[in-house]
């Protein structure tokens, strides 16, 4: 046999053997894909994990999930206990979603999130989700109209984040806002709706404790104040016969926040929103291809101001600065003055004014 042919056969054999060994090693590892945490009696923690099953571990050769649950004092202790009940080595490096029950979120999350902050194998891009009810029950349910629960929820969230119809709530963003004394964290909220899971709103935190929540109907108006948008979608409905319903897509938004000091030495904030979008649907008595277009734009601007002002008042009442006004106030103060300031108390009474300018980029293919 020629020397080159012999070497090629040897290399090929080693390659095949290596692949087979890697496959066997992967089958020995249980990658946690989703983890849920809830309160348990005695100030303890109930942890439920979802681990995909593959190959010979799955029933009938299909991919499914192995669900494990235990009550412990911390996520790491729970992982050690759960590893005693599975034939595979549990690994946290593939966690996509961290779910917390609402009761646990209202008590404070930091003591349980510390491990995810310190563990270098866990991605900072993990999504934080608050469940209305029991997070362990959601992770344990099967939703027949969808793929396995972990994949279903992860794809649902990533789709809404990509559309910019909902603010991203990643692990690194939660930590960033937790450590920033000028802004409070937020998190995605979900609930079960018949045989599906649905995004239900936004959880608003003060430090690490969930204080209140905004329903889905408020998410768009909150997002305008929270961040700049480049491709959002939204629909506005009203009792006004000139604007029963109007839907927009490809929404672009630019926010500007200005903080000033009035004559009494008190700080005031002005939030300027410049919004534009293309009409996808319009139910009303006006003609968008005529001068009536300006009238509709004015109505939408006024509606955004009204709703945004209402949301700011909700945040002030609950002393949660989820849009980061404290960062702008802090920039107007010396370090010593800011450290003496009880920001959440100051925010509660701070005058905040909303200004909005809305423009239609187009009104579709239909000319009225």
């Amino acid at each position: 046999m020629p020397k080159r042919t012999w070497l090629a056969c040897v290399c090929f054999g080693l390659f095949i053997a290596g692949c087979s060994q890697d496959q066997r090693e992967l089958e020995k590892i249980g990658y946690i894909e989703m983890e849920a945490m809830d309160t348990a009696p005695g100030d303890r923690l109930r942890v439920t994990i979802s681990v995909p099953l593959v190959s010979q571990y799955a029933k009938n050769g299909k991919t499914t999930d192995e669900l494990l649950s235990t009550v412990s004092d911390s996520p790491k202790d729970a992982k050690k206990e759960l590893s005693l009940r599975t034939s595979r080595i549990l690994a946290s490096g593939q966690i996509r979603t961290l779910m917390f029950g609402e009761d646990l979120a209202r008590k404070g999350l930091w003591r349980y999130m510390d491990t995810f902050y310190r563990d270098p194998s866990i991605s900072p891009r993990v999504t934080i989700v608050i469940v209305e009810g029991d997070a362990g029950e959601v992770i344990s349910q099967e939703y027949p109209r969808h793929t396995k629960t972990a994949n279903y929820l992860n794809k649902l969230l990533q789709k809404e984040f990509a559309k910019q119809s909902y603010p991203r709530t990643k692990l690194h963003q939660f930590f960033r806002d937790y450590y920033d004394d000028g802004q409070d964290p937020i998190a995605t909220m979900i609930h079960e709706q018949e045989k599906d899971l649905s995004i239900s709103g936004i959880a608003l935190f003060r430090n690490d404790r969930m204080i209140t929540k905004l329903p889905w109907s408020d998410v768009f108006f909150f997002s305008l104040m929270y961040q700049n948008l480049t491709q959002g979608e939204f629909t506005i409905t009203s009792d006004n016969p000139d604007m029963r319903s109007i839907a927009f897509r490809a929404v672009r938004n630019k926010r500007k926040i200005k903080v000033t000091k009035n004559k009494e030495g008190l700080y005031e904030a002005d939030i300027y929103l410049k919004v534009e979008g293309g009409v996808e649907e319009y139910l009303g008595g006006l003609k968008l291809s005529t001068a009536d277009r300006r009238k509709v734009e004015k109505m939408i601007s006024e509606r955004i101001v009204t709703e945004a002002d209402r949301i700011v008042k909700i945040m002030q009442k609950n002393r949660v600065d989820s849009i980061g006004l404290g960062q702008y106030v802090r920039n107007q103060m010396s370090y010593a003055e800011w450290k003496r300031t009880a920001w959440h108390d100051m925010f509660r009474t701070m005058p905040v004014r909303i200004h909005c300018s809305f423009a239609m980029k187009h009104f579709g293919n239909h000319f009225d």
Side-chain angles (χ1 to χ4, degrees), residues 252-311:
R252 297 177 63 88
N253 165 59
K254 187 175 182 179
R255 72 161 195 172
K256 180 180 179 182
I257 296 176
K258 185 177 180 181
V259 170
T260 56
K261 218 173 189 180
N262 61 23
K263 295 180 180 179
E264 289 76 28
L266 302 177
Y267 288 93
E268 300 178 344
D270 289 275
I271 302 176
Y272 298 91
L273 304 173
K274 186 177 181 181
V275 189
E276 59 179 27
V279 178
E280 216 172 31
E281 179 185 70
Y282 171 65
L283 302 177
L286 300 177
K287 297 182 178 181
L288 300 184
S289 57
T290 69
D292 288 346
R293 178 177 177 175
R294 302 302 177 196
K295 183 177 179 181
V296 174
E297 289 176 337
K298 183 179 179 183
M299 286 191 291
I300 295 172
S301 298
E302 292 173 351
R303 177 66 180 276
I304 291 174
V305 168
T306 299
E307 298 298 333
D309 183 67
R310 178 180 57 81
I311 292 170

Side-chain angles (χ1 to χ4, degrees), residues 29-93:
I29 300 175
Y31 290 104
I32 301 172
E33 191 171 10
M34 182 181 291
E35 185 164 340
M37 282 163 271
D38 296 283
T39 56
D43 196 30
R44 304 190 79 198
L45 183 70
R46 180 159 55 84
V47 178
T48 307
I49 63 173
S50 172
V51 183
L53 286 175
V54 294
S55 181
Q56 72 267 29
Y57 293 95
K59 298 178 181 179
N60 302 321
K62 296 180 180 178
T63 302
T64 182
D65 286 342
E66 180 180 8
L67 296 172
L68 300 169
S69 182
T70 188
V71 174
S72 186
D73 294 314
S74 74
K76 284 299 183 189
D77 281 342
K79 183 180 175 182
K80 292 177 183 177
E81 292 176 18
L82 293 174
S83 69
L84 301 176
R85 294 161 49 188
T86 179
S87 60
R88 295 181 295 165
I89 302 170
L90 294 180
S92 302

